[in-house]
């Protein structure tokens, strides 16, 4: 029980992703770097993009996306396939 209290005391930033904020007890830790790891096709880019889109469009949370194997155009095109207007959200 003591560990659970310590976790809830950590300030979190909501992702805006249904269910994700519940299982992470509020989102990702504020002021900390979060690294997503996993094999190709497991959903790292989609999860990160969905969090960025929700942050910019609904939550007014500034974010940054860093990719080592994809350029900005490729990442943006990936987001567009979900109906997200990536160009419009860039300034937010």
């Amino acid at each position: 029980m003591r560990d659970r209290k310590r976790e809830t005391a950590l300030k979190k930033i909501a992702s805006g992703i249904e269910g994700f904020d519940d299982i992470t007890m509020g989102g990702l830790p504020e002021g900390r770097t979060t690294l997503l790891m996993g094999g190709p096709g497991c959903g790292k880019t989609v999860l990160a993009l969905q969090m960025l889109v929700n942050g910019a469009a609904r939550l007014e949370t500034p974010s940054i996306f860093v990719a080592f194997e994809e350029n900005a155009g490729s990442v943006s095109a990936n987001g567009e396939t979900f109906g997200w207007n990536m160009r419009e959200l860039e300034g937010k």
Side-chain angles (χ1 to χ4, degrees):
M1 188 64 135
R2 181 173 279 165
D3 290 335
R4 191 124 165 102
K5 286 182 182 179
R6 188 177 302 138
E7 289 175 353
T8 57
L10 182 63
K11 190 166 182 181
K12 303 278 186 98
I13 297 175
S15 70
I17 300 173
E18 186 177 336
F20 183 81
D21 292 334
D22 294 332
I23 64 172
T24 58
M25 297 175 55
L28 298 177
E30 183 176 2
R32 297 184 180 190
T33 301
T34 299
L35 175 66
L36 299 177
M37 295 176 51
C42 71
K44 300 177 301 287
T45 299
V46 174
L47 177 68
L49 286 177
Q50 189 172 3
M51 292 176 75
L52 290 173
V53 167
N54 289 336
R58 298 188 302 162
L59 305 172
E60 297 182 9
T61 304
S63 303
I64 186 168
F65 180 97
V66 177
F68 296 104
E69 295 183 11
E70 294 180 90
N71 62 36
S74 175
V75 171
S76 185
N78 192 352
E80 297 279 344
T81 66
F82 293 97
W84 302 326
N85 187 339
M86 302 303 285
R87 292 267 184 226
E88 178 185 308
L89 295 172
E90 279 182 18
K92 294 183 178 184

